Amino acid sequence: MTATRPTGIPQSRRRALGRSGVPVSALSLGTAPLGNLYSPVAPEQAAATVDAAWDAGIRAFDTAPHYGLGLAERRLGDALRDRPRAAYTVSTKVGRLLRPGGPGGDDLAHGFAVPATHHRVWDFSADGVRRSIEESLHRLGLDRIDIAYLHDPDDHAEQAFGEAYPALERLRAEGVVGAIGAGMNQTAMLARFLRDTDVDAVLLAGRYTLLDPSGLVEVLPEAAARHRSVVIGGVFNSGLLADPRPGATYDYAPAARPVLDRALRMKAIAERHGIPLRAAALHFPFGHPAVATVLVGARSPAEITDAAALLPRPVPPTLWTDLRKEGLLPAHVPVPEPVLGAGD
């Protein structure tokens, strides 16, 4: 008799963002590392990373002008140049224009190991949005952007809601972009975008993870109620959930001891169930129906191949039960349900 067994997230899974019709694969590749985040990545390695993502079935790619002063956009565009345009989805961001005349030296003050030949100018004006999209199209070598996000408008709320968002709406109506949204590391303003605008999706970074499920308070319920989508970034909280150890980073800073201890307890439970903690962290967001895709940054083929291999790998339901028993996961937080598939 054929049995059934729990399986993970199918590689072939595709979901449209909100009501836009713009599809995303379950796993998306984030390209900040390909913009030389913290340290250089050779051009050949950057191209090979995109190729490895493609070979693993990933068809959604996220970038931004901010990443390496345009380097990530250029590298992504080059790597996708010979791929069928209808087969993949590219998202980029607006809000920071790149202008010639940097301070010289490197750009490590902003986190990127690239020559500081340009400087960033915050600009959430309508004209700034259009110029940003035009410049991104040029760097990417594309004729359209599938998804455009307002990038970190935390300190620019008035201009973002009053000028930048309406400009994105017009670009969507014109077909220059397919879907629109906002991407941030905080929940309050993203919840406002969901309530007060017609965004298709929001990109929530670091706020719906095993260590910080605070996105469940406002963002995810608002998205679900309004038939919008949530893209989850920062699922490893900048490294701690990928490899919890002394010196690991949490939200881009060394993890405080209580947070590290919590992650180490999670790691022990995951390993008792025969899986690495990073697998549980990657699967966790899919417990909420508003989540369309999980965005994982990678700087090498090995990193993205590892993430892609973890996605279809089963996560025992008892792992979530044990996390709750140990007080490491609140009882009200949803977890992924096993998908039944054929087994032998």
Side-chain angles (χ1 to χ4, degrees):
M1 180 178 178
T2 301
T4 60
R5 59 180 173 81
T7 63
I9 308 299
Q11 292 284 31
S12 59
R13 176 184 180 272
R14 300 284 188 276
R15 292 185 64 177
L17 293 179
R19 295 183 290 269
S20 70
V22 174
V24 288
S25 48
L27 195 62
S28 298
L29 175 67
T31 64
L34 304 187
N36 289 1
L37 181 65
Y38 304 133
S39 61
V41 172
E44 299 81 6
Q45 182 171 314
T49 301
V50 177
D51 288 345
W54 188 277
D55 291 344
I58 293 170
R59 295 294 183 270
F61 303 87
D62 179 75
T63 190
H66 173 56
Y67 303 157
L69 292 171
L71 179 62
E73 287 185 318
R74 292 192 297 272
R75 285 180 163 178
L76 179 61
D78 289 344
L80 293 174
R81 188 83 65 230
D82 297 327
R83 308 287 186 182
R85 181 62 185 92
Y88 62 84
T89 296
V90 169
S91 57
T92 193
K93 306 179 183 76
V94 301
R96 292 175 174 92
L97 291 173
L98 305 181
R99 290 295 169 256
D106 60 44
D107 190 50
L108 283 171
H110 294 94
F112 295 93
V114 297
T117 57
H118 290 65
H119 64 281
R120 299 165 179 83
V121 177
W122 287 103
D123 192 338
F124 288 95
S125 68
D127 181 62
V129 166
R130 284 191 172 270
R131 282 186 288 148
S132 185
I133 291 293
E134 289 170 3
E135 292 168 9
S136 288
L137 287 169
H138 177 73
R139 285 188 291 266
L140 287 160
L142 299 176
D143 62 355
R144 71 179 189 278
I145 300 295
D146 298 297
I147 311 162
Y149 296 110
L150 302 176
H151 197 185
D152 297 335
D154 304 65
D155 299 324
H156 308 271
E158 183 176 352
Q159 192 175 44
F161 282 96
E163 299 181 45
Y165 169 74
L168 284 185
E169 262 202 352
R170 288 190 290 272
L171 288 167
R172 181 177 60 183
E174 295 166 9
V176 177
V177 301
I180 60 175
M184 305 180 73
N185 293 287
Q186 58 139 298
T187 60
M189 195 180 293
L190 287 187
R192 181 182 168 190
F193 273 108
L194 289 165
R195 284 193 302 268
D196 297 347
T197 74
D198 189 34
V199 292
D200 300 292
V202 294
L203 196 171
L204 177 62
R207 298 295 169 263
Y208 195 58
T209 73
L210 280 175
L211 284 170
D212 183 355
S214 57
L216 190 60
V217 176
E218 284 190 283
V219 173
L220 289 150
E222 287 287 354
R226 299 169 191 277
H227 305 288
R228 317 284 176 76
S229 295
V230 180
V231 174
I232 297 297
V235 72
F236 301 128
N237 282 123
S238 77
L240 183 58
L241 285 171
D243 183 17
R245 54 181 171 74
T249 54
Y250 175 74
D251 284 356
Y252 310 105
R257 189 74 220 187
V259 180
L260 173 60
D261 289 345
R262 189 176 182 86
L264 288 170
R265 291 171 62 198
M266 289 180 171
K267 178 184 178 181
I269 291 172
E271 289 180 346
R272 285 206 305 268
H273 288 275
I275 67 167
L277 178 59
R278 65 185 186 279
L282 186 63
H283 277 251
F284 166 73
F286 290 106
H288 198 284
V291 174
T293 182
V294 168
L295 180 64
V296 175
R299 63 191 303 113
S300 70
E303 288 182 359
I304 196 59
T305 299
D306 175 73
L310 293 174
L311 198 63
R313 183 174 177 176
V315 173
T318 49
L319 181 147
W320 311 116
T321 302
D322 287 351
L323 287 175
R324 285 176 169 153
K325 284 180 179 177
E326 293 293 324
L328 296 170
L329 186 65
H332 70 282
V333 175
V335 296
E337 294 183 2
V339 179
L340 296 182
D344 48 32

